[in-house]
Amino acid sequence: MERVLLKNIENPNSAEIDEYLKAGGYRNVSKAFDMRPEDIIEEVKKSGLRGRGGAGFPTGMKWGFAIADPKFPKYLICNADEGEPGTFKDRPILERNPHLLIEGMIISAYALKAEYGYIYLRAEYPKAKEILDRAIRQAYERNYLGENILGRDVRFHLTVHQGAGAYICGEETALIDSLEGKRGQPRNKPPFPVNVGAWRMPTIVNNVETLANIPYIVEIGGEAYSKIGNPECPGPKLYCVSGHVNRPGVYELPMGTTLREIIYTHAGGIRNDKELKAVIPGGVSTPVLPASMIDCRMDFVSMPKAGSMLGSAAVIVMDETVCMVKVMHRIMKFFEHESCGKCTPCREGTGWLRRILESIEKGNGRPGDIELLRDISEDMMGKTFCPLGDGAAGALRGMLKHFEYEFEEHIAGRSRCKGG
Amino acid sequence: MARGMFSETAIKELEEIRRRYPDSRAALLPALHIAQREFGWLSDDVMRSVARLLNLTEAEVKGTASFYSMFRFRPMGRHIIQLCTNVSCMLLGAERLVDLLKDRYGLEPGGTTEDGRFSLVIMECIGACGTAPAMLVNSDFYDNLTEERIVEILERYK
């Protein structure tokens, strides 16, 4: 497959506008400006593109809702708060291909009639901030941003807005509150941001990778794009592989590539001739899968059938030496730290779960702890403002579904790890 | 704008940033980043000054700032080590690095060395999972860390 999102990133100057232009960059802005905004939205609908942030909502549909709202101004926000542990797929776009993202945002803004855009960037990526600021400056100098873009009656102003270390700000309504200068806590929905978003105006929040797909959709058309990968949720996809593999990294492959192919063909298999034990397929919010299930396809449609989710396609690979109780304890510590505190099931539940997991890992587990873990996660699932609580409960339930015996061994004092 | 304790450069930078948003509250996070860069941490005085600059109440500023884990509310060491210990880094030995910092520098998570040289902050994933374990020292990024390599890197920060 021809690379679309990671095109030319081996070029050490790939973030420079001249190199981007040389490789045909920004061509699709002119092409898009010759189309009517509604025709672009139609192409995006036809393409079947689904949001790459994790939820997989159809992008064209989201855009359709926003454009149907009569209020102006409309805001376009790029979600670059990549914080799901295990995820580093947007980083190569931000650091090595920033003009692709900017081009995608210009086209999207034109289609959505948005004149102001923000890239909400996590503060943990200081290098990406410098690179994006520089790329935006270059785009202004060449009149791809600003007023009367390319001599047309189009304006678009773009700003990088840094977060300050809060995982929850990857959730779009929390992100909007954070952009407005508030604590980043999720809002109740509805109303959805497409109607009442930033500064109470219609706001479209799309992930970095989603927006980076837009120029290519304009270039080849929605129809041709829809034939890449799994036709039910097509397109090129960035898979980021970490953990016990020989060649960790970000791989651009057709949507629906199997976990086996990702791990063994692209990431070079398991390190040090060890056996594969388990895979967290889409970041720590997604339920773990045992080695026996790696023939499933990594896409939005197939993963739920296997009892997990594509999430942010953050494939964390674990070999036979890994203690699953320890992994689960670390994951729950993360969720407890990142729970924003707004709603009780998540704020209290993550803390309770972490304390029970900690005591099991330290060898102080009691009979009945596993039932208690299940009971608490049941009380969190579907009862929180945002998906953080579901993620925490779902990750635990996945772990118990496939590796309950390890928890039992720890509680019975028969575990090899003895206190992790 | 009330000048407070900020440098002229910082004031100008903030005025420019403020123009990019429909209201001044949206410039709060950028203002806090600038303040932390200028003063190292956010004291009550600094936050009061930010409130005056943006025409916000002190409660609004402090209430917002305290939500975010990368803002500091007490003096920090000269160099801040932000070490990731989340799953991908943990699988590849981040805990050994935490132990090493304790043994070699007397540095506890959340603590500062007695000589004020280093502070250690444990991070929740810095997006370097493919080259784990990883850390930021101030704004400098380092990955593929080993016990030898982390010592070698930290020796460059005096």
Side-chain angles (χ1 to χ4, degrees):
Chain A
M1 190 190 76
E2 172 197 9
R3 283 198 306 185
V4 176
L5 307 166
L6 301 183
K7 192 175 161 185
N8 289 329
I9 61 159
E10 292 81 10
N11 177 345
N13 299 315
S14 60
E16 292 296 313
I17 194 163
D18 285 322
E19 294 299 312
Y20 187 67
L21 287 166
K22 234 189 276 173
Y26 285 113
R27 220 174 24 194
N28 294 311
V29 172
S30 324
K31 184 169 180 197
F33 284 5
D34 288 334
M35 296 163 73
R36 294 181 310 164
E38 52 271 35
D39 294 339
I40 297 175
I41 296 176
E42 205 41 52
E43 288 304 316
V44 173
K45 281 184 180 165
K46 245 192 266 171
S47 75
L49 174 66
R50 290 173 63 166
R52 302 300 199 231
F57 193 80
T59 306
M61 199 190 286
K62 192 187 254 190
W63 287 17
F65 292 145
I67 207 76
D69 193 296
K71 294 193 293 297
F72 282 94
K74 298 189 196 312
Y75 295 103
L76 174 64
I77 299 175
C78 168
N79 185 344
D81 196 44
E82 178 163 79
E84 178 69 29
T87 314
F88 52 108
K89 69 183 181 63
D90 293 338
R91 225 178 104 199
I93 298 177
L94 297 165
E95 293 183 354
R96 320 261 347 187
N97 215 353
H99 288 287
L100 177 69
L101 173 63
I102 296 169
E103 182 174 9
M105 288 191 79
I106 297 165
I107 296 169
S108 308
Y110 168 75
L112 293 158
K113 300 179 180 160
E115 297 182 339
Y116 296 91
Y118 300 92
I119 299 174
Y120 187 99
L121 176 70
R122 68 193 308 232
E124 291 86 345
Y125 287 180
K127 190 176 159 208
K129 166 88 164 88
E130 275 174 42
I131 291 168
L132 283 169
D133 278 341
R134 181 182 163 81
I136 288 173
R137 214 160 44 237
Q138 291 175 337
Y140 268 101
E141 282 163 14
R142 308 293 176 97
N143 193 219
Y144 289 108
L145 287 172
E147 303 286 327
N148 299 315
I149 296 171
L150 303 181
R152 308 284 285 261
D153 187 22
V154 183
R155 69 203 292 236
F156 184 54
H157 291 277
L158 185 57
T159 296
V160 180
H161 186 98
Q162 262 186 314
Y167 166 72
I168 191 60
C169 292
E171 193 281 332
E172 61 178 3
T173 61
L175 183 154
I176 289 169
D177 264 26
S178 179
L179 175 69
E180 291 180 351
K182 300 170 188 160
R183 297 166 75 85
Q185 293 186 316
R187 298 176 179 178
N188 206 4
K189 293 192 265 192
F192 291 93
V194 286
N195 301 116
V196 183
W199 303 288
R200 307 199 59 78
M201 287 296 153
T203 301
I204 306 91
V205 185
N206 285 139
N207 170 261
V208 173
E209 186 186 345
T210 310
L211 290 163
N213 270 282
I214 301 299
Y216 191 62
I217 293 173
V218 166
E219 184 177 327
I220 68 165
E223 175 90 33
Y225 181 96
S226 74
K227 301 203 161 69
I228 303 169
N230 183 345
E232 289 182 273
C233 49
K237 180 73 195 95
L238 297 180
Y239 296 102
C240 38
V241 191
S242 66
H244 295 138
V245 288
N246 284 310
R247 288 193 302 272
V250 183
Y251 296 94
E252 180 175 346
L253 302 166
M255 182 72 93
T257 306
T258 64
L259 268 175
R260 182 182 298 281
E261 182 184 334
I262 293 168
I263 295 168
Y264 286 95
T265 309
H266 301 284
I270 311 304
R271 289 158 73 122
N272 305 325
D273 297 317
K274 294 276 198 314
E275 292 292 320
L276 173 66
K277 178 171 183 178
V279 185
I280 296 174
V284 301
S285 300
T286 64
V288 70
L289 296 174
S292 59
M293 291 178 75
I294 61 167
D295 285 308
C296 60
R297 296 187 176 278
M298 278 285 281
D299 61 54
F300 291 116
V301 180
S302 313
M303 289 309 284
K305 291 177 191 157
S308 190
M309 289 182 289
L310 177 64
S312 54
V315 180
I316 305 174
V317 178
M318 295 175 273
D319 73 20
E320 57 190 304
T321 65
V322 174
C323 167
M324 302 313 266
V325 176
K326 180 175 171 162
V327 169
M328 195 59 236
H329 173 212
R330 183 63 188 87
I331 291 174
M332 202 52 72
K333 213 160 120 184
F334 163 76
F335 283 119
E336 181 189 21
H337 183 260
E338 299 299 336
S339 175
C340 81
K342 180 165 177 164
C343 60
T344 315
C346 174
R347 183 188 61 235
E348 303 302 322
T350 52
W352 292 341
L353 293 177
R354 192 269 302 156
R355 288 193 288 277
I356 298 166
L357 289 164
E358 184 172 306
S359 88
I360 297 175
E361 196 204 334
K362 288 194 169 146
N364 301 322
R366 297 169 307 184
D369 274 353
I370 293 176
E371 292 74 54
L372 192 54
L373 288 172
R374 280 218 169 87
D375 193 38
I376 296 169
S377 62
E378 192 68 43
D379 285 342
M380 292 166 67
M381 211 75 185
K383 299 180 182 69
T384 53
F385 264 101
C386 83
L388 193 147
D390 289 342
L396 174 61
R397 295 203 316 184
M399 205 57 105
L400 291 175
K401 181 173 163 191
H402 298 294
F403 297 100
E404 183 171 346
Y405 63 92
E406 278 196 38
F407 290 74
E408 284 166 357
E409 282 171 6
H410 272 75
I411 292 169
R414 277 185 277 109
S415 149
R416 277 182 301 133
C417 357
K418 298 263 190 308
Chain B
M1 278 194 198
R3 302 279 133 168
M5 47 212 300
F6 283 84
S7 69
E8 283 304 311
T9 332
I11 301 268
K12 267 180 75 179
E13 190 181 344
L14 187 56
E15 279 171 354
E16 199 272 315
I17 287 171
R18 204 176 135 161
R19 282 198 294 273
R20 303 182 197 168
Y21 300 94
D23 67 22
S24 67
R25 175 130 194 198
L28 179 52
L29 257 58
L32 291 168
H33 279 299
I34 292 171
Q36 188 157 283
R37 191 187 68 207
E38 295 252 309
F39 306 105
W41 63 288
L42 303 175
S43 65
D44 285 354
D45 281 346
V46 167
M47 284 191 279
R48 207 167 291 135
S49 191
V50 169
R52 276 200 300 273
L53 279 172
L54 295 177
N55 208 13
L56 301 171
T57 67
E58 287 176 50
E60 285 167 333
V61 172
K62 207 169 176 174
T64 299
S66 60
F67 183 78
Y68 296 94
S69 61
M70 288 173 84
F71 292 131
R72 324 272 174 225
F73 302 97
R74 52 189 172 77
M76 301 296 281
R78 286 195 299 285
H79 306 291
I80 303 179
I81 303 168
Q82 301 183 90
L83 179 68
C84 179
T85 64
N86 211 304
V87 179
S88 300
C89 284
M90 181 184 90
L91 291 174
L92 295 173
E95 288 171 322
R96 287 201 304 275
L97 303 177
V98 175
D99 291 343
L100 177 135
L101 293 176
K102 206 176 290 177
D103 296 344
R104 190 176 169 108
Y105 299 100
L107 195 48
E108 298 279 345
T112 299
T113 54
E114 270 175 36
D115 59 4
R117 184 174 164 201
F118 294 120
S119 291
L120 174 61
V121 180
I122 300 297
M123 299 294 280
E124 295 291 0
C125 197
I126 58 174
C129 327
T131 48
M135 67 173 174
L136 289 158
V137 181
N138 307 325
S139 315
D140 308 327
F141 176 82
Y142 299 99
D143 52 8
N144 289 316
L145 296 175
T146 59
E147 282 149 293
E148 297 75 49
R149 196 167 130 72
I150 196 170
V151 170
E152 191 190 301
I153 291 162
L154 292 179
E155 285 313 304
R156 295 178 221 154
Y157 292 86
K158 295 297 174 189

